Amino acid sequence: MKPAPFHYHAPQTIEEAVTLLAQVAADDGRVLAGGQSLVPTMAFRLARPRHLIDINGIAALKRLAVEDGKLCIGAGVRHAAFHRPVVDGPLGQLLSQVVRHIAHHPIRTRGTFCGSVAHADPASEWCAVAAALDAEMVARSTRGTRVIAAKDFFDDIMTTALADEELLAEVRLPLLPADTRFGFCEFNRRAGDFAIAMAVVVYRPGKGGVTDARIALGGVEASPRRMTAAEGALNGRVPSAATFAAAAEAAAVAADPLEDEGISAGYRRDLVRTLVRRALDEAAA
Ligand SMILES: Cc1cc2nc3c(=O)[nH]c(=O)nc-3n(C[C@H](O)[C@H](O)[C@H](O)COP(=O)(O)OP(=O)(O)OC[C@H]3O[C@@H](n4cnc5c(N)ncnc54)[C@H](O)[C@@H]3O)c2cc1C
């Protein structure tokens, strides 16, 4: 099928884009970023936006920079930018490990980091990373700029705190200290498919035991979030098989897994136990 007719807009600046959004958002105006989620749904006429605001021509959104200890990822930065570490240290390495799990290479050359976060698919790898690292989402509109914390951003399946007339201009991730350990593990039936479940783990192995533990799941619940009970089972303890097993068990108990055709909540809970454990083993290796 072909998309239903729509008006196409190609702003060259962020100001033009947010002015257009203010004008057409109420008339089903949508941002077009990489188009890797939006265009297929339009082709099947599951989405019929009346206006598309194509942000690909906005040079200011292509920015990828470190500022005040944070990696700032503009809305024009594509998944493929992360194939190689974009920043020295554990954050750059974590992102380049995770990106290999997102779809296939051609999709990664078009799809954007911020598009994934705005789209908020429960199985988005970038959403899980954003939740784990307490990312900041920078939303722009004609009313100004607001910064939304990850814990307040993801509301439900494909639903976020972004207002219709807001552009997600940038996502900011904190740089991770040099001694940070990280692991990422996901399960899907075929390489490149959306994951059925995934786990992101980050911690620092301090002298008195683990500090700054962060554990988030993706593909398991409606939205990604930090699993605080599992983090509590790690913090202050010496990294060991028993500690990791306890943290994985705490994550499995605390999870409220989605249930869909062919994949039960119990199966996803079992996956959580295994994936958190494997991600922790990987982090410690
Ligand atoms: C076959 C296939 C497999 C895939 N597998 C995976 C996978 O394993 N993991 C994964 O995470 N993703 C996967 N994807 C999705 C892909 O990562 C998309 O690139 C991503 O979900 C959306 O990014 P985009 O830039 O393409 O956004 P678009 O498709 O352009 O937009 C998606 C939605 O977000 C909105 N939007 C986009 N950018 C902004 C912004 N800056 N501000 C406000 N709203 C915005 C749009 O209006 C639209 O509603 C897959 C896609 C395909 C086709």
Side-chain angles (χ1 to χ4, degrees):
M1 282 176 78
K2 294 275 185 284
F6 57 87
H7 299 280
Y8 176 77
H9 309 269
Q12 298 299 303
T13 66
I14 296 175
E15 291 69 24
E16 276 173 50
V18 296
T19 303
L20 276 164
L21 265 176
Q23 289 163 1
V24 303
D27 190 20
D28 204 4
R30 302 259 203 109
V31 170
L32 173 69
Q36 298 304 297
S37 294
L38 183 54
V39 171
T41 54
M42 287 174 63
F44 285 111
R45 300 208 174 184
L46 296 169
R48 295 168 173 241
R50 286 174 49 81
H51 296 264
L52 282 191
I53 300 173
D54 182 348
I55 59 171
N56 287 279
I58 304 178
L61 293 179
K62 305 210 183 334
R63 133 186 158 100
L64 187 56
V66 173
E67 235 173 54
D68 299 330
K70 290 172 191 152
L71 178 66
C72 305
I73 305 166
V77 176
R78 306 198 191 275
H79 304 316
F82 301 92
H83 283 159
R84 293 200 182 143
V86 294
V87 65
D88 288 341
L91 179 63
Q93 292 164 21
L94 168 65
L95 298 177
S96 69
Q97 179 179 335
V98 171
V99 72
R100 283 182 268 126
H101 295 270
I102 301 175
H104 307 278
H105 191 269
I107 292 165
R108 296 199 291 267
T109 63
R110 291 298 303 167
T112 63
F113 186 104
C114 290
S116 281
V117 170
H119 190 55
D121 190 297
S124 154
E125 283 82 358
W126 290 146
C127 291
V129 169
L133 301 187
D134 290 327
E136 294 173 350
M137 321 304 178
V138 182
R140 292 276 303 266
S141 71
T142 50
R143 287 177 282 124
T145 301
R146 69 181 180 123
V147 178
I148 310 165
K151 68 179 175 40
D152 303 321
F153 185 81
F154 299 110
D155 278 348
D156 206 337
I157 296 176
M158 293 178 184
T159 308
T160 71
L162 270 187
D164 288 344
E165 75 281 8
E166 279 181 321
L167 172 74
L168 179 61
E170 186 166 288
V171 173
R172 297 177 187 154
L173 299 175
L175 298 183
L176 299 170
D179 63 349
T180 303
R181 316 297 308 226
F182 64 84
F184 178 82
C185 199
E186 78 170 39
F187 180 78
N188 48 20
R189 291 201 177 105
R190 293 177 309 184
D193 279 2
F194 280 99
I196 296 171
M198 70 184 79
V200 185
V201 307
V202 171
Y203 71 84
R204 296 177 71 190
K207 279 207 181 96
V210 165
T211 62
D212 300 330
R214 292 166 176 274
I215 298 180
L217 306 176
V220 175
E221 301 185 335
S223 303
R225 66 181 169 109
R226 287 179 63 181
M227 306 305 286
T228 46
E231 293 171 356
L234 267 187
N235 279 326
R237 297 194 165 74
V238 176
S240 68
T243 303
F244 293 169
E249 183 61 26
V253 168
D256 179 16
L258 294 166
E259 177 130 6
D260 47 59
E261 213 179 311
I263 302 166
S264 69
Y267 182 68
R268 277 203 166 84
R269 196 184 299 286
D270 284 348
L271 281 177
V272 168
R273 192 176 288 110
T274 302
L275 295 176
V276 170
R277 174 67 198 268
R278 286 185 186 168
L280 285 166
D281 285 345
E282 181 188 294

